[in-house]
Amino acid sequence: MSRKRTWPSTEEEMDSKIREGGGTESQNGSTTSFNSSTSQVTIEPLPSLRHAAPFSTDPMALAERDSCHYGRIPRAAALAGTAGRKVRVYSDGIYDMFHQGHARQLQQAKTVFPNVYLIVGVCSDQLTHSRKGRTVMTEDERYEAVRHCRYVDEVVRDAPWEYDEEFLEKHKIDFLAHDDIPYTTEDCEDTYAMIKAKDMFVATQRTEGVSTSDIVARIVRDYDIYVRRNLARGYSAKELNVSFLNEKKFRLQNKMDELKDKGKKVMTNIGEKRVDILTKWEEKSRELIDAFLLLFGPDGRLSNIWESSKGRLMQALSQPPSPRGSPPPSENGDHSPLYRSSVSPPPAKARRREPDWESHAGNWMHRALSALATPRRQRRAS
């Protein structure tokens, strides 16, 4: 038995196959059909998984409405799945900042009966601002958010705040799904009173802890954080309605956060490489210890050099021994004979001759007298 997966080539082909009713819907939102002649299994997705849900004025939605022979289905038949057609269930809301609470509410409305065609009404900006307050998203953004939810089959734009019989018949609504909290207006205490009286109301449960108001409150509470976030992403201070001084403050805080993040990354990298660093340090430390012991250990090179040169160094640094002193004299004042024989007396010094001044003076007088006695002529010749 061969098995292959095929997909419709166009939306029209897909819609025609869905309307033929030749398949069964699975839990994952696909339709499985069996072909006995070729023994093949074909898995086809529902239209809501192939394209966005149409608006109520689009041709696809109009064709679906025209093919429905309207007559309100009793609750028992809807629960048993014996109605003969899809049960048209209507749900409405603002759906501002579409979140998981909205999606879960629509999921409940889609699965309240076995075979449901879910129609979702979204109120316009004008009606919402006058009745409930300002929204974050525009009406077009809210329409697009809802029509891309997988549980939605059709979207009604500019949905009414209250309901009348004309609106129910126009969209061929069998049941209306909403949470059972009474919504009051100036004219009535519960806008769903007429729906409940006709036994057309089915209650859904709200998701606790999540709502559009909670999200807005979170943004207001963390205003500085989101302003800094958008400034970092390229928004100008004018677009964020931020003053010049606040802009500089927020940008400085962003720079400080960047430095902190870089510091954390550095510390993280160091932590990751710490084991490698310790391993390498252990290996290097062993090499350093071996080299140290080789040089400075008991049998190291420096110890041998020191032992071999220690004697020479001590001899060079020590002073020469002092000469032997003379022995003490004997009782009679003479040195011992051993000392006289072993130690020779020092040589006698030569006496200095004193000059003979008298002889010098006599010689000088003799030469002077001889010079006077010599004739003048002889002195000239000599």
Side-chain angles (χ1 to χ4, degrees):
M1 178 178 178
S2 62
R3 181 186 295 247
K4 70 176 183 178
R5 186 183 183 94
T6 60
W7 302 94
S9 58
T10 61
E11 293 183 2
E12 291 77 8
E13 181 183 356
M14 177 183 59
D15 294 337
S16 63
K17 290 185 178 182
I18 293 297
R19 291 194 182 94
E20 288 175 1
T24 58
E25 183 178 351
S26 61
Q27 293 181 354
N28 61 0
S30 63
T31 300
T32 305
S33 61
F34 299 91
N35 190 336
S36 60
S37 61
T38 60
S39 299
Q40 293 179 350
V41 179
T42 304
I43 302 175
E44 300 171 353
L46 289 175
S48 60
L49 299 183
R50 294 286 300 202
H51 56 81
F55 294 117
S56 58
T57 56
D58 291 346
M60 186 180 296
L62 294 175
E64 177 68 27
R65 190 186 312 162
D66 294 339
S67 63
C68 174
H69 301 285
Y70 185 58
R72 290 175 186 168
I73 300 174
R75 185 181 293 268
L79 290 172
T82 59
R85 64 173 177 83
K86 292 183 179 180
V87 181
R88 296 174 66 87
V89 177
Y90 177 83
S91 182
D92 65 345
I94 309 301
Y95 301 108
D96 189 21
M97 302 182 68
F98 193 84
H99 52 74
Q100 70 268 27
H102 296 144
R104 289 177 180 176
Q105 187 265 336
L106 296 177
Q107 181 188 25
Q108 295 177 51
K110 178 71 174 179
T111 58
V112 67
F113 300 120
N115 190 15
V116 171
Y117 181 85
L118 181 59
I119 307 169
V120 181
V122 183
C123 299
S124 64
D125 284 346
Q126 182 180 1
L127 181 60
T128 304
H129 297 169
S130 62
R131 292 295 186 98
K132 195 171 183 179
R134 185 175 180 83
T135 58
V136 178
M137 301 170 64
T138 63
E139 59 183 21
D140 292 332
E141 292 170 341
R142 293 185 285 114
Y143 297 155
E144 289 295 323
V146 172
R147 72 191 294 249
H148 283 84
C149 178
R150 61 179 299 181
Y151 308 114
V152 179
D153 297 308
E154 182 181 328
V155 174
V156 177
R157 292 176 289 191
D158 193 13
W161 201 266
E162 300 175 5
Y163 315 99
D164 54 16
E165 193 68 29
E166 180 182 359
F167 179 80
L168 298 176
E169 292 181 357
K170 175 182 178 181
H171 295 280
K172 298 182 179 181
I173 297 172
D174 295 313
F175 293 92
L176 192 147
H178 207 278
D179 59 79
D180 56 358
I181 300 175
Y183 281 77
T184 61
T185 61
E186 297 177 356
D187 301 332
C188 63
E189 296 182 356
D190 189 1
T191 56
Y192 302 108
M194 185 264 290
I195 303 297
K196 293 177 181 179
K198 293 178 176 291
D199 194 24
M200 297 174 58
F201 186 83
V202 289
T204 57
Q205 301 296 323
R206 295 176 63 90
T207 303
E208 296 297 333
V210 57
S211 65
T212 302
S213 299
D214 293 338
I215 297 175
V216 173
R218 192 185 310 165
I219 295 173
V220 173
R221 180 191 63 195
D222 300 329
Y223 168 78
D224 291 358
I225 296 176
Y226 293 113
V227 171
R228 289 166 53 188
R229 169 184 177 273
N230 283 9
L231 284 174
R233 295 193 175 188
Y235 285 85
S236 65
K238 183 177 180 181
E239 291 174 325
L240 299 175
N241 196 23
V242 176
S243 65
F244 176 79
L245 294 178
N246 285 335
E247 178 192 4
K248 299 304 178 186
K249 180 186 72 174
F250 292 143
R251 293 192 183 279
L252 178 60
Q253 291 174 346
N254 286 341
K255 291 294 182 183
M256 295 300 295
D257 290 344
E258 290 179 5
L259 293 177
K260 291 180 181 179
D261 293 338
K262 290 181 180 179
K264 290 180 180 178
K265 291 180 180 179
V266 171
M267 296 303 296
T268 302
N269 294 334
I270 292 175
E272 293 175 353
K273 298 179 180 178
R274 182 175 56 187
V275 177
D276 296 337
I277 293 175
L278 291 177
T279 304
K280 292 180 180 179
W281 169 252
E282 185 178 0
E283 295 175 357
K284 293 295 182 182
S285 64
R286 291 176 181 175
E287 296 178 2
L288 291 174
I289 291 172
D290 294 340
F292 181 84
L293 293 176
L294 184 62
L295 289 176
F296 300 99
D299 299 329
R301 297 176 182 176
L302 292 181
S303 297
N304 296 330
I305 294 173
W306 169 253
E307 291 296 334
S308 61
S309 61
K310 183 170 62 175
R312 292 195 297 271
L313 290 174
M314 293 299 295
Q315 184 178 1
L317 294 176
S318 61
Q319 295 181 355
S322 59
R324 295 180 180 181
S326 60
S330 62
E331 294 180 356
N332 56 3
D334 296 333
H335 292 285
S336 63
L338 179 62
Y339 177 77
R340 286 198 301 268
S341 62
S342 61
V343 179
S344 60
K349 294 183 179 180
R351 297 183 62 183
R352 186 177 180 180
R353 186 177 180 179
E354 296 293 337
D356 191 359
W357 296 107
E358 293 180 356
S359 60
H360 281 295
N363 293 330
W364 182 76
M365 289 296 295
H366 177 73
R367 285 195 298 269
L369 291 175
S370 297
L372 293 175
T374 302
R376 184 175 182 182
R377 185 175 297 176
Q378 290 179 359
R379 288 197 306 267
R380 288 182 178 177
S382 58

